[in-house]
Amino acid sequence: MRGSAFCRRKRSDTANMIFGQDFNRLGGTTSGPRLGRAKGLSRLWEVSLENMGRLAVSNLLCVLGAVPGALCMSLGLIEGGQPVWLLLGGILGGALYGVCYGAMMDGILRALRDESSGWWRQYRRAWQRDWKGNLLPGVIMGVLIALVLHTLNQLYRGQSLPPAMLFSSLFAAVGALALFTYAWPQRVLLDLGLGAIFRNSLLLALYHPVKTVLAVLLQAVYWGLNLFMFPYSTMLMLVLGIWFPALAATQMVYQPLNRDMKIEERLGIAPDEEEDEGEEAAD
């Protein structure tokens, strides 16, 4: 019996070896290690193609949610408009936008975890589950956007602004991009208060400065180009719109966020061996 078992094991090992290649190491058998995910631009391209339809639908809903706030802010920017419209758009429009953005972010995180089944059901569940918790982050984001637009509008009209106001507006915009890049994934994944979320986001941004700077730079360049090309860039909103910078920035910081907050470990997802080796080498 031992000899026959040895022969079967030997034949099995030989079957897994072709031209000196071990298919167990290449992931060619069900017993082999799971191949690691692609990284960088390859990973972004892969996730975008596999989830294009889902991202487009959630993007459209997010754009529709941003329309009321955009209309109010437009009234505050046009000639003779009142800044109060900017504030109103930031508060009311930001609340509605935050609900839509949070549901879209839940879908983006599922795409990064390669979870694509039952997308529409999960989207509706995320909307119903998190809409109250997404109101205040949306309001904060909307008010900050209104502040930046008001500052840019003053400069466009040739009005001089105190250097302190310019610096504080720039600092608020950059800081908000950095914090919200980490805050939204925590908001839709973890049962934490908003204060704890922003505290964690600050620590993550400081602990991973390179990825944070790259994520902020990408979003700043993207939205800066859209603002520069307005109104022609409005057509881009229906294609790449809001989902592309959100996905790209989240994908940049997902690995440190996942490692520090143990996201996939809490969800019971086994890590890829290649990612583990890369993280150990980085540490």
Short mmCIF file of all heavy atoms in Angstrom, two decimals, residues 131-180:
data_model
loop_
_atom_site.label_atom_id
_atom_site.label_comp_id
_atom_site.label_asym_id
_atom_site.label_seq_id
_atom_site.Cartn_x
_atom_site.Cartn_y
_atom_site.Cartn_z
N TRP A 131 -26.80 55.95 4.12
CA TRP A 131 -27.15 57.28 3.67
C TRP A 131 -27.10 58.31 4.80
O TRP A 131 -26.67 59.45 4.59
CB TRP A 131 -28.52 57.28 2.98
CG TRP A 131 -29.70 57.11 3.90
CD1 TRP A 131 -30.28 55.96 4.28
CD2 TRP A 131 -30.44 58.16 4.54
NE1 TRP A 131 -31.34 56.19 5.13
CE2 TRP A 131 -31.47 57.53 5.30
CE3 TRP A 131 -30.35 59.55 4.55
CZ2 TRP A 131 -32.37 58.27 6.06
CZ3 TRP A 131 -31.26 60.28 5.30
CH2 TRP A 131 -32.25 59.65 6.04
N LYS A 132 -27.49 57.93 6.01
CA LYS A 132 -27.44 58.89 7.12
C LYS A 132 -25.99 59.23 7.47
O LYS A 132 -25.66 60.39 7.73
CB LYS A 132 -28.15 58.32 8.34
CG LYS A 132 -29.66 58.21 8.19
CD LYS A 132 -30.29 57.68 9.47
CE LYS A 132 -31.81 57.57 9.32
NZ LYS A 132 -32.45 57.04 10.56
N GLY A 133 -25.12 58.21 7.50
CA GLY A 133 -23.73 58.45 7.84
C GLY A 133 -22.97 59.21 6.77
O GLY A 133 -21.92 59.80 7.06
N ASN A 134 -23.47 59.23 5.52
CA ASN A 134 -22.79 59.92 4.44
C ASN A 134 -23.23 61.38 4.29
O ASN A 134 -22.63 62.12 3.49
CB ASN A 134 -23.04 59.19 3.11
CG ASN A 134 -22.37 57.83 3.08
OD1 ASN A 134 -21.38 57.60 3.76
ND2 ASN A 134 -22.91 56.93 2.28
N LEU A 135 -24.24 61.80 5.05
CA LEU A 135 -24.73 63.17 4.92
C LEU A 135 -23.69 64.19 5.38
O LEU A 135 -23.36 65.12 4.64
CB LEU A 135 -26.03 63.34 5.73
CG LEU A 135 -27.28 62.65 5.19
CD1 LEU A 135 -28.43 62.79 6.18
CD2 LEU A 135 -27.66 63.22 3.83
N LEU A 136 -23.16 64.02 6.59
CA LEU A 136 -22.23 65.01 7.14
C LEU A 136 -20.91 65.07 6.36
O LEU A 136 -20.44 66.18 6.07
CB LEU A 136 -21.97 64.72 8.62
CG LEU A 136 -21.11 65.76 9.36
CD1 LEU A 136 -21.70 67.15 9.20
CD2 LEU A 136 -20.99 65.38 10.84
N PRO A 137 -20.29 63.94 5.99
CA PRO A 137 -19.09 64.05 5.15
C PRO A 137 -19.37 64.76 3.83
O PRO A 137 -18.53 65.53 3.34
CB PRO A 137 -18.68 62.59 4.92
CG PRO A 137 -19.26 61.85 6.06
CD PRO A 137 -20.54 62.55 6.39
N GLY A 138 -20.55 64.52 3.25
CA GLY A 138 -20.91 65.21 2.02
C GLY A 138 -21.05 66.71 2.22
O GLY A 138 -20.64 67.51 1.38
N VAL A 139 -21.65 67.11 3.36
CA VAL A 139 -21.79 68.54 3.66
C VAL A 139 -20.42 69.19 3.82
O VAL A 139 -20.16 70.29 3.29
CB VAL A 139 -22.64 68.74 4.93
CG1 VAL A 139 -22.57 70.19 5.40
CG2 VAL A 139 -24.08 68.34 4.67
N ILE A 140 -19.53 68.54 4.55
CA ILE A 140 -18.18 69.09 4.74
C ILE A 140 -17.46 69.24 3.40
O ILE A 140 -16.85 70.27 3.10
CB ILE A 140 -17.37 68.19 5.69
CG1 ILE A 140 -18.01 68.18 7.07
CG2 ILE A 140 -15.92 68.67 5.78
CD1 ILE A 140 -17.37 67.20 8.04
N MET A 141 -17.56 68.21 2.56
CA MET A 141 -16.94 68.27 1.24
C MET A 141 -17.56 69.39 0.40
O MET A 141 -16.85 70.14 -0.28
CB MET A 141 -17.10 66.93 0.53
CG MET A 141 -16.50 66.89 -0.86
SD MET A 141 -16.80 65.31 -1.71
CE MET A 141 -15.65 64.26 -0.81
N GLY A 142 -18.89 69.52 0.44
CA GLY A 142 -19.56 70.56 -0.34
C GLY A 142 -19.18 71.96 0.09
O GLY A 142 -18.97 72.84 -0.75
N VAL A 143 -19.08 72.19 1.39
CA VAL A 143 -18.70 73.52 1.89
C VAL A 143 -17.27 73.86 1.48
O VAL A 143 -16.96 75.00 1.09
CB VAL A 143 -18.87 73.59 3.42
CG1 VAL A 143 -18.27 74.87 3.97
CG2 VAL A 143 -20.35 73.50 3.78
N LEU A 144 -16.37 72.89 1.54
CA LEU A 144 -14.99 73.13 1.13
C LEU A 144 -14.91 73.42 -0.37
O LEU A 144 -14.13 74.29 -0.80
CB LEU A 144 -14.12 71.92 1.48
CG LEU A 144 -13.86 71.73 2.98
CD1 LEU A 144 -13.14 70.40 3.23
CD2 LEU A 144 -13.04 72.89 3.54
N ILE A 145 -15.70 72.72 -1.17
CA ILE A 145 -15.74 73.01 -2.61
C ILE A 145 -16.27 74.41 -2.86
O ILE A 145 -15.74 75.15 -3.71
CB ILE A 145 -16.61 71.96 -3.34
CG1 ILE A 145 -15.93 70.59 -3.30
CG2 ILE A 145 -16.86 72.37 -4.78
CD1 ILE A 145 -16.78 69.47 -3.86
N ALA A 146 -17.29 74.81 -2.12
CA ALA A 146 -17.83 76.16 -2.25
C ALA A 146 -16.78 77.21 -1.88
O ALA A 146 -16.67 78.27 -2.53
CB ALA A 146 -19.07 76.32 -1.37
N LEU A 147 -15.98 76.94 -0.85
CA LEU A 147 -14.92 77.87 -0.45
C LEU A 147 -13.88 78.02 -1.55
O LEU A 147 -13.46 79.15 -1.88
CB LEU A 147 -14.26 77.36 0.83
CG LEU A 147 -12.98 78.10 1.29
CD1 LEU A 147 -13.31 79.54 1.65
CD2 LEU A 147 -12.35 77.37 2.48
N VAL A 148 -13.47 76.91 -2.14
CA VAL A 148 -12.47 76.97 -3.22
C VAL A 148 -13.03 77.70 -4.44
O VAL A 148 -12.35 78.54 -5.05
CB VAL A 148 -12.02 75.54 -3.59
CG1 VAL A 148 -11.14 75.56 -4.83
CG2 VAL A 148 -11.27 74.91 -2.42
N LEU A 149 -14.28 77.42 -4.82
CA LEU A 149 -14.88 78.08 -5.97
C LEU A 149 -15.04 79.58 -5.73
O LEU A 149 -14.84 80.38 -6.65
CB LEU A 149 -16.25 77.45 -6.27
CG LEU A 149 -16.22 76.03 -6.84
CD1 LEU A 149 -17.65 75.52 -7.05
CD2 LEU A 149 -15.45 75.99 -8.15
N HIS A 150 -15.40 79.96 -4.51
CA HIS A 150 -15.51 81.38 -4.20
C HIS A 150 -14.16 82.08 -4.32
O HIS A 150 -14.08 83.19 -4.87
CB HIS A 150 -16.07 81.55 -2.78
CG HIS A 150 -16.17 82.98 -2.35
ND1 HIS A 150 -17.05 83.87 -2.93
CD2 HIS A 150 -15.48 83.69 -1.39
CE1 HIS A 150 -16.92 85.05 -2.36
NE2 HIS A 150 -15.98 84.97 -1.43
N THR A 151 -13.11 81.45 -3.86
CA THR A 151 -11.78 82.04 -3.96
C THR A 151 -11.35 82.18 -5.41
O THR A 151 -10.83 83.23 -5.83
CB THR A 151 -10.76 81.18 -3.19
OG1 THR A 151 -11.18 81.05 -1.83
CG2 THR A 151 -9.38 81.79 -3.24
N LEU A 152 -11.55 81.13 -6.20
CA LEU A 152 -11.19 81.20 -7.62
C LEU A 152 -12.03 82.24 -8.36
O LEU A 152 -11.52 82.93 -9.26
CB LEU A 152 -11.38 79.82 -8.26
CG LEU A 152 -10.45 78.71 -7.76
CD1 LEU A 152 -10.81 77.38 -8.42
CD2 LEU A 152 -8.99 79.06 -8.05
N ASN A 153 -13.29 82.36 -7.99
CA ASN A 153 -14.16 83.35 -8.64
C ASN A 153 -13.69 84.77 -8.33
O ASN A 153 -13.72 85.65 -9.21
CB ASN A 153 -15.60 83.15 -8.16
CG ASN A 153 -16.59 84.01 -8.93
OD1 ASN A 153 -16.55 84.08 -10.16
ND2 ASN A 153 -17.49 84.67 -8.22
N GLN A 154 -13.25 85.01 -7.11
CA GLN A 154 -12.74 86.33 -6.75
C GLN A 154 -11.48 86.66 -7.55
O GLN A 154 -11.31 87.79 -8.02
CB GLN A 154 -12.44 86.38 -5.26
CG GLN A 154 -13.65 86.23 -4.35
CD GLN A 154 -14.62 87.40 -4.48
OE1 GLN A 154 -15.59 87.32 -5.23
NE2 GLN A 154 -14.35 88.47 -3.76
N LEU A 155 -10.60 85.68 -7.70
CA LEU A 155 -9.38 85.91 -8.49
C LEU A 155 -9.71 86.13 -9.96
O LEU A 155 -9.08 86.96 -10.63
CB LEU A 155 -8.44 84.72 -8.33
CG LEU A 155 -7.86 84.49 -6.92
CD1 LEU A 155 -7.05 83.21 -6.89
CD2 LEU A 155 -6.98 85.68 -6.50
N TYR A 156 -10.69 85.39 -10.48
CA TYR A 156 -11.08 85.53 -11.88
C TYR A 156 -11.64 86.92 -12.17
O TYR A 156 -11.44 87.46 -13.26
CB TYR A 156 -12.12 84.46 -12.23
CG TYR A 156 -12.64 84.52 -13.64
CD1 TYR A 156 -11.87 84.05 -14.70
CD2 TYR A 156 -13.91 85.05 -13.92
CE1 TYR A 156 -12.34 84.12 -16.00
CE2 TYR A 156 -14.38 85.12 -15.21
CZ TYR A 156 -13.60 84.65 -16.25
OH TYR A 156 -14.07 84.72 -17.54
N ARG A 157 -12.31 87.51 -11.21
CA ARG A 157 -12.88 88.84 -11.38
C ARG A 157 -11.86 89.94 -11.12
O ARG A 157 -12.21 91.12 -11.15
CB ARG A 157 -14.08 89.02 -10.46
CG ARG A 157 -15.24 88.10 -10.78
CD ARG A 157 -16.40 88.31 -9.83
NE ARG A 157 -17.49 87.38 -10.08
CZ ARG A 157 -18.41 87.53 -11.02
NH1 ARG A 157 -18.36 88.59 -11.81
NH2 ARG A 157 -19.35 86.63 -11.18
N GLY A 158 -10.62 89.57 -10.86
CA GLY A 158 -9.56 90.56 -10.70
C GLY A 158 -9.48 91.17 -9.32
O GLY A 158 -8.79 92.18 -9.13
N GLN A 159 -10.15 90.60 -8.35
CA GLN A 159 -10.10 91.12 -7.00
C GLN A 159 -8.90 90.54 -6.25
O GLN A 159 -8.58 89.37 -6.39
CB GLN A 159 -11.39 90.79 -6.26
CG GLN A 159 -12.63 91.38 -6.90
CD GLN A 159 -13.89 91.11 -6.09
OE1 GLN A 159 -13.81 90.78 -4.91
NE2 GLN A 159 -15.05 91.26 -6.71
N SER A 160 -8.26 91.40 -5.51
CA SER A 160 -7.10 90.95 -4.72
C SER A 160 -7.57 90.38 -3.39
O SER A 160 -8.50 90.90 -2.76
CB SER A 160 -6.15 92.13 -4.46
OG SER A 160 -6.83 93.16 -3.75
N LEU A 161 -6.94 89.30 -3.01
CA LEU A 161 -7.28 88.63 -1.77
C LEU A 161 -6.07 88.61 -0.86
O LEU A 161 -4.92 88.57 -1.32
CB LEU A 161 -7.73 87.19 -2.04
CG LEU A 161 -9.00 87.02 -2.89
CD1 LEU A 161 -9.25 85.54 -3.16
CD2 LEU A 161 -10.21 87.64 -2.20
N PRO A 162 -6.29 88.68 0.45
CA PRO A 162 -5.16 88.61 1.38
C PRO A 162 -4.39 87.32 1.20
O PRO A 162 -4.98 86.26 0.95
CB PRO A 162 -5.85 88.67 2.76
CG PRO A 162 -7.19 89.27 2.51
CD PRO A 162 -7.59 88.82 1.14
N PRO A 163 -3.07 87.38 1.29
CA PRO A 163 -2.27 86.15 1.14
C PRO A 163 -2.68 85.05 2.13
O PRO A 163 -2.64 83.87 1.78
CB PRO A 163 -0.84 86.63 1.41
CG PRO A 163 -0.86 88.10 1.09
CD PRO A 163 -2.22 88.57 1.47
N ALA A 164 -3.09 85.46 3.33
CA ALA A 164 -3.49 84.45 4.32
C ALA A 164 -4.72 83.68 3.84
O ALA A 164 -4.82 82.47 4.06
CB ALA A 164 -3.78 85.13 5.66
N MET A 165 -5.65 84.38 3.16
CA MET A 165 -6.86 83.71 2.66
C MET A 165 -6.51 82.75 1.53
O MET A 165 -7.05 81.63 1.46
CB MET A 165 -7.88 84.74 2.19
CG MET A 165 -9.19 84.13 1.72
SD MET A 165 -10.41 85.36 1.26
CE MET A 165 -11.77 84.30 0.77
N LEU A 166 -5.61 83.18 0.65
CA LEU A 166 -5.20 82.30 -0.44
C LEU A 166 -4.50 81.06 0.10
O LEU A 166 -4.77 79.93 -0.34
CB LEU A 166 -4.26 83.06 -1.39
CG LEU A 166 -4.89 84.13 -2.27
CD1 LEU A 166 -3.82 84.88 -3.06
CD2 LEU A 166 -5.91 83.51 -3.22
N PHE A 167 -3.62 81.26 1.07
CA PHE A 167 -2.89 80.13 1.64
C PHE A 167 -3.83 79.18 2.37
O PHE A 167 -3.72 77.96 2.23
CB PHE A 167 -1.81 80.64 2.60
CG PHE A 167 -1.08 79.52 3.30
CD1 PHE A 167 -0.10 78.80 2.66
CD2 PHE A 167 -1.39 79.19 4.62
CE1 PHE A 167 0.57 77.76 3.30
CE2 PHE A 167 -0.73 78.16 5.27
CZ PHE A 167 0.25 77.45 4.60
N SER A 168 -4.76 79.75 3.14
CA SER A 168 -5.68 78.89 3.90
C SER A 168 -6.61 78.12 2.96
O SER A 168 -6.93 76.95 3.21
CB SER A 168 -6.51 79.74 4.87
OG SER A 168 -7.29 80.70 4.16
N SER A 169 -7.04 78.75 1.85
CA SER A 169 -7.90 78.06 0.89
C SER A 169 -7.14 76.92 0.21
O SER A 169 -7.68 75.82 0.05
CB SER A 169 -8.42 79.05 -0.16
OG SER A 169 -9.18 80.07 0.45
N LEU A 170 -5.89 77.19 -0.19
CA LEU A 170 -5.09 76.15 -0.82
C LEU A 170 -4.81 75.01 0.16
O LEU A 170 -4.90 73.83 -0.19
CB LEU A 170 -3.77 76.75 -1.32
CG LEU A 170 -2.79 75.78 -1.99
CD1 LEU A 170 -3.41 75.17 -3.23
CD2 LEU A 170 -1.49 76.49 -2.33
N PHE A 171 -4.48 75.37 1.39
CA PHE A 171 -4.20 74.35 2.41
C PHE A 171 -5.44 73.52 2.69
O PHE A 171 -5.35 72.28 2.84
CB PHE A 171 -3.71 75.02 3.69
CG PHE A 171 -3.39 74.06 4.79
CD1 PHE A 171 -2.18 73.38 4.80
CD2 PHE A 171 -4.29 73.82 5.82
CE1 PHE A 171 -1.87 72.47 5.81
CE2 PHE A 171 -3.99 72.93 6.84
CZ PHE A 171 -2.78 72.25 6.83
N ALA A 172 -6.60 74.17 2.76
CA ALA A 172 -7.85 73.44 3.02
C ALA A 172 -8.17 72.48 1.88
O ALA A 172 -8.60 71.34 2.11
CB ALA A 172 -8.99 74.42 3.23
N ALA A 173 -7.94 72.92 0.63
CA ALA A 173 -8.24 72.07 -0.52
C ALA A 173 -7.33 70.84 -0.55
O ALA A 173 -7.79 69.70 -0.72
CB ALA A 173 -8.10 72.86 -1.81
N VAL A 174 -6.02 71.07 -0.36
CA VAL A 174 -5.07 69.95 -0.39
C VAL A 174 -5.30 69.01 0.79
O VAL A 174 -5.31 67.78 0.64
CB VAL A 174 -3.62 70.48 -0.38
CG1 VAL A 174 -2.62 69.34 -0.24
CG2 VAL A 174 -3.34 71.27 -1.66
N GLY A 175 -5.49 69.59 1.97
CA GLY A 175 -5.74 68.76 3.15
C GLY A 175 -7.02 67.96 3.03
O GLY A 175 -7.07 66.79 3.44
N ALA A 176 -8.07 68.59 2.46
CA ALA A 176 -9.34 67.87 2.30
C ALA A 176 -9.20 66.71 1.33
O ALA A 176 -9.73 65.62 1.58
CB ALA A 176 -10.41 68.84 1.82
N LEU A 177 -8.47 66.92 0.22
CA LEU A 177 -8.27 65.83 -0.73
C LEU A 177 -7.53 64.67 -0.07
O LEU A 177 -7.88 63.50 -0.28
CB LEU A 177 -7.47 66.34 -1.94
CG LEU A 177 -8.25 67.10 -3.01
CD1 LEU A 177 -7.30 67.63 -4.08
CD2 LEU A 177 -9.32 66.23 -3.63
N ALA A 178 -6.51 64.99 0.72
CA ALA A 178 -5.74 63.93 1.39
C ALA A 178 -6.60 63.18 2.40
O ALA A 178 -6.61 61.94 2.43
CB ALA A 178 -4.52 64.54 2.07
N LEU A 179 -7.33 63.91 3.24
CA LEU A 179 -8.12 63.26 4.28
C LEU A 179 -9.29 62.46 3.71
O LEU A 179 -9.54 61.33 4.13
CB LEU A 179 -8.63 64.31 5.27
CG LEU A 179 -7.59 65.00 6.14
CD1 LEU A 179 -8.24 66.01 7.07
CD2 LEU A 179 -6.78 63.99 6.95
N PHE A 180 -10.00 63.04 2.73
CA PHE A 180 -11.16 62.34 2.19
C PHE A 180 -10.75 61.13 1.35
O PHE A 180 -11.56 60.21 1.18
CB PHE A 180 -12.01 63.29 1.35
CG PHE A 180 -12.98 64.10 2.17
CD1 PHE A 180 -12.78 65.45 2.39
CD2 PHE A 180 -14.09 63.49 2.74
CE1 PHE A 180 -13.67 66.18 3.15
CE2 PHE A 180 -14.99 64.22 3.50
CZ PHE A 180 -14.77 65.57 3.71
#
